[in-house]
Amino acid sequence: MRIRFPNGIKLIILVTVICALCASPLCAAPKKKSSRADNAPAAAENAVSGDKGKVSAIDVPKRTRRTYFSRIAPDVMSASENASPDSIRTAVSLLRKSGADYTEPEKVLLNVLSGIMKTVWLSERADWETPPVSEATPYLGAIDSAKNGIYDLSTGNVDFFTLVLPSLVVVKADDVSSYAAVAEQALTAALALRPESALAHYLIGVLYAKTRRTEEALAHFSLASKSAPLCKEIAYAEADCLKRLGRMHEAQTAALSLLHRYPADIAVLKLCAETSFALKDFSAAEEYVGRVLQQEPNDLDYVLFRARILAGRGDYIRAASLLDVYARQDTSSRAYLLLRARLQYEWSKNLAAASETIERALSLYPNDLDVLLFAARLAASTAAPLAGVSAEEFAKRALAIDPANTEAKRYEIDGMMRSGKWKGAYDSSKALLASKDALRNDIFVHIRICLELGKNDEAWNLISPLYAENPDDDDILQSYIVVLSKTGRSAQALSIINSRLPAASSRMRSFFYYRRSFLDASQEDSLADLRSSLIANPRNADALFRLYEIYYGRRDYRKAQYYLKQVVALDPNNAEMRKLNEELSKLIK
């Protein structure tokens, strides 16, 4: 019995757990396909309905049982059941030594091995004689079923090949969900019979990869690789799993090893391109993409990929040109919209256009993680909602999809800080610092949050060991001075500033003068230090904004606006600064 599984429909899965034995006591074999329909009701009694998500367990056939291939030499069957390309050739060679007068089981086995080679190991050639078979068996029937996209449930599960051959269908199938459970049980039972089988490990690895069990898939591909270290399909599957798991250095090493053996293979070139891009090796990624496009110039996905690489290198003009080429065919793909918005934001500095593009992306892909993260980035950069949604809310939506996403956590923290939700920001920031993906800058952000909440001891305990270890690091020094000033250690902060000022860089001199303006005894001294800060760095937005605050407090609105306008010019997308400037303009009128 063969059952075809249409996409999207969950069928009742029948698993045959008891096989009728032939009359001969010396050679038991699965019944021919023509006689199997009579036993379907009995098999159905031992299966559980698939719509309950369960199937009956498949027993491991005993090696002592006489099976169809029992009369074939053990070394031939060992090589055949390993079923790697090399072991298949070994088995075929051993069979040929017995002469041209094959037995019927030997003919079937030769055809089975040819079918495996042609279905699974596509980079290899089945270049041996496959004699015609006169007897109908479940083995070749299962291979034919797999070629037609059918998982054959009627093999009887009486030996290694009846367990394994139905799962050949997983190699080309897009959706394996309707038979994944029974295939997993059958392959597991097959591995109990032949634990070193490259074929069984590979097939169960493919099954796991297509059901998003990537870690388990990688484990089986690694075991398959031990039995078949030179098999292209296994090596590629293992490298692809490493890529999916984010282990990019290992994936790239495996991909480059494959490329050395298959320098023109499209799939291998693409794997090299993708791993190089992920590691920000843009030159190598562009080379590999170029080699792909030489062979497939109409591959639009890789035209767009090349544009992404060029954007990563900062070559925005060429990236925009390729993006225009892609747009002639498609203007609604997720990758296109994200790259278009990125170029508008980073290159053209056209926030309105970038916002419009990402709003379209949100309408088409409302639950896409990358779209939500870019929307959070835009909203955070403007300190204003995008399509009525704040950066914090976009970040929360992204975290609902991927709770461990550190980029989303940073946008969430930034949004809470901007809206004054310091307690929430503290909790999220503390959790981020505890993760393995925390960056050094996350420490500085957490210190700022601690100071806002009056958690001075925590801020001090974070920065003091960093300063003791590396007192000349500019970022650490800046944070250290801020903590000193905020925790009642003003004299110590002033001493460090005065001692460091003469030899400081322009950037650090500007910072020192700015921080000293908070420690000065008089407002006039503060104004003098702030002017000195701007002489060292005219684009110091903190110093400009502090001058605005001082003059605003003095009600000298024209001078206040003079400095605030410069803040707005440095960050024209900041909605908060624009609003302050508008309010100030009303006061001047």
Side-chain angles (χ1 to χ4, degrees), residues 10-88:
K10 207 167 190 180
L11 300 180
I12 296 176
I13 298 178
L14 300 179
V15 181
T16 305
V17 296
I18 301 176
C19 175
L21 301 178
C22 291
S24 169
L26 296 176
C27 185
K31 287 187 177 181
K32 297 178 183 180
K33 286 193 168 282
S34 59
S35 64
R36 203 170 286 126
D38 297 336
N39 295 323
E45 292 176 3
N46 293 310
V48 180
S49 174
D51 58 15
K52 293 181 181 179
K54 299 178 182 178
V55 293
S56 60
I58 295 176
D59 294 330
V60 179
K62 294 180 179 179
R63 280 290 186 187
T64 55
R65 178 188 299 171
R66 290 286 188 179
T67 64
Y68 187 70
F69 297 117
S70 293
R71 291 185 178 275
I72 297 178
D75 58 343
V76 174
M77 292 309 301
S78 175
S80 298
E81 292 176 359
N82 179 287
S84 71
D86 286 344
S87 64
I88 286 175

Side-chain angles (χ1 to χ4, degrees), residues 58 136 197 209 212 293 326 406 456 487 494 513 515 521 542 573:
I58 295 176
S197 172
R212 299 185 180 182
L293 291 173
Y326 182 88
T406 53
N456 293 343
T487 58
L494 190 59
Y513 281 124
R515 289 309 311 178
D542 291 330
N573 297 319

Side-chain angles (χ1 to χ4, degrees), residues 3 18 24 69 74 76 109 118-119 122 206 237 245 255 312 336 371 377 395 398 415 426 444 453 474:
I3 298 178
I18 301 176
S24 169
F69 297 117
V76 174
L109 183 57
K118 292 175 180 178
T119 305
L122 300 178
V206 172
L245 290 169
Y336 167 81
V371 171
R377 178 185 178 189
Y426 174 83
F444 302 140
L453 291 173
D474 287 351

Side-chain angles (χ1 to χ4, degrees), residues 188-210:
T188 301
L191 283 168
L193 290 172
R194 187 69 69 184
E196 76 283 3
S197 172
L199 175 64
H201 279 299
Y202 177 72
L203 291 177
I204 200 169
V206 172
L207 181 71
Y208 286 154
K210 291 186 177 183

Side-chain angles (χ1 to χ4, degrees), residues 285-576:
E286 186 178 7
E287 177 194 341
Y288 300 133
V289 169
R291 289 165 65 179
V292 169
L293 291 173
Q294 283 176 358
Q295 296 183 60
E296 297 183 351
N298 295 322
D299 188 333
L300 279 179
D301 288 340
Y302 264 67
V303 170
L304 189 59
F305 189 17
R306 189 173 194 176
R308 290 173 60 202
I309 293 169
L310 292 169
R313 297 180 64 176
D315 191 347
Y316 294 116
I317 294 177
R318 290 174 64 202
S321 178
L322 283 176
L323 206 56
D324 290 339
V325 171
Y326 182 88
R328 295 170 193 164
Q329 303 292 327
D330 183 9
T331 59
S332 61
S333 81
R334 165 191 163 279
Y336 167 81
L337 290 169
L338 282 169
L339 185 56
R340 175 67 74 189
R342 179 183 168 189
L343 291 182
Q344 290 166 334
Y345 179 71
E346 295 180 359
W347 180 43
S348 304
K349 308 297 182 184
N350 189 337
L351 184 69
S355 298
E356 183 180 343
T357 301
I358 212 66
E359 283 179 20
R360 186 180 178 208
L362 285 166
S363 68
L364 294 172
Y365 311 99
N367 299 315
D368 182 84
L369 179 62
D370 291 330
V371 171
L372 290 169
L373 289 174
F374 200 95
R377 178 185 178 189
L378 283 178
S381 68
T382 61
L386 176 68
V389 181
S390 68
E392 180 185 348
E393 181 57 34
F394 281 127
K396 289 184 183 299
R397 293 182 188 178
L399 288 170
I401 298 170
D402 180 8
N405 190 286
T406 53
E407 184 180 357
K409 288 180 181 179
R410 292 184 183 99
Y411 287 132
E412 180 191 37
I413 293 166
D414 180 75
M416 287 189 286
M417 290 168 65
R418 288 179 182 273
S419 58
K421 300 176 184 177
W422 294 103
K423 178 61 172 64
Y426 174 83
D427 293 338
S428 295
S429 178
K430 197 167 185 67
L432 178 58
L433 283 186
S435 74
K436 62 181 178 60
D437 297 318
L439 303 176
R440 190 179 74 158
N441 191 63
D442 296 327
I443 299 175
F444 302 140
V445 171
H446 191 71
I447 287 170
R448 180 188 169 194
I449 295 170
C450 287
L451 293 175
E452 289 289 343
L453 291 173
K455 297 180 180 290
N456 293 343
D457 288 343
E458 185 173 348
W460 175 253
N461 291 334
L462 283 170
I463 194 60
S464 56
L466 292 178
Y467 180 75
E469 182 179 347
N470 197 351
D472 295 321
D473 182 281
D474 287 351
D475 294 328
I476 292 174
L477 178 57
Q478 288 188 15
S479 185
Y480 186 65
I481 288 174
V482 171
V483 173
L484 288 174
S485 301
K486 295 279 189 177
T487 58
R489 299 175 174 87
S490 299
Q492 189 177 349
L494 190 59
S495 174
I496 292 175
I497 289 171
N498 290 335
S499 65
R500 300 261 188 156
L501 255 173
S505 64
S506 295
R507 173 176 171 268
M508 287 303 293
R509 278 205 312 276
S510 182
F511 169 79
F512 287 141
Y513 281 124
Y514 166 69
R515 289 309 311 178
R516 195 169 73 174
S517 73
F518 290 95
L519 306 175
D520 289 325
S522 69
Q523 197 173 82
E524 293 305 319
D525 289 339
S526 295
L527 288 171
D529 275 337
L530 289 169
R531 294 188 189 102
S532 296
S533 175
L534 292 177
I535 291 171
N537 177 17
R539 299 174 64 83
N540 187 330
D542 291 330
L544 289 166
F545 189 75
R546 178 149 166 74
L547 283 165
Y548 151 77
E549 289 181 313
I550 291 174
Y551 284 114
Y552 186 90
R554 289 182 170 189
R555 298 190 178 184
D556 189 342
Y557 298 133
R558 292 194 180 278
K559 283 188 178 180
Q561 189 177 55
Y562 170 79
Y563 291 109
L564 185 58
K565 280 185 175 180
Q566 294 182 65
V567 175
V568 172
L570 290 172
D571 188 6
N573 297 319
N574 192 310
E576 291 180 5

Side-chain angles (χ1 to χ4, degrees), residues 219-284:
H220 281 282
F221 290 141
S222 298
L223 289 170
S225 181
K226 290 180 180 178
S227 294
L230 297 179
C231 178
K232 175 191 170 184
E233 285 77 12
I234 294 173
Y236 179 88
E238 188 174 11
D240 188 59
C241 268
L242 289 167
K243 184 196 76 172
R244 292 174 186 274
L245 290 169
R247 294 162 62 175
M248 291 300 173
H249 287 287
E250 295 170 81
Q252 186 187 52
T253 299
L256 291 175
S257 177
L258 273 169
L259 187 66
H260 181 72
R261 292 160 52 201
Y262 307 97
D265 187 275
I266 290 288
V268 174
L269 283 168
K270 287 183 174 182
L271 188 60
C272 289
E274 290 162 10
T275 54
S276 297
F277 180 77
L279 294 170
K280 300 189 183 304
D281 187 352
F282 298 126
S283 295

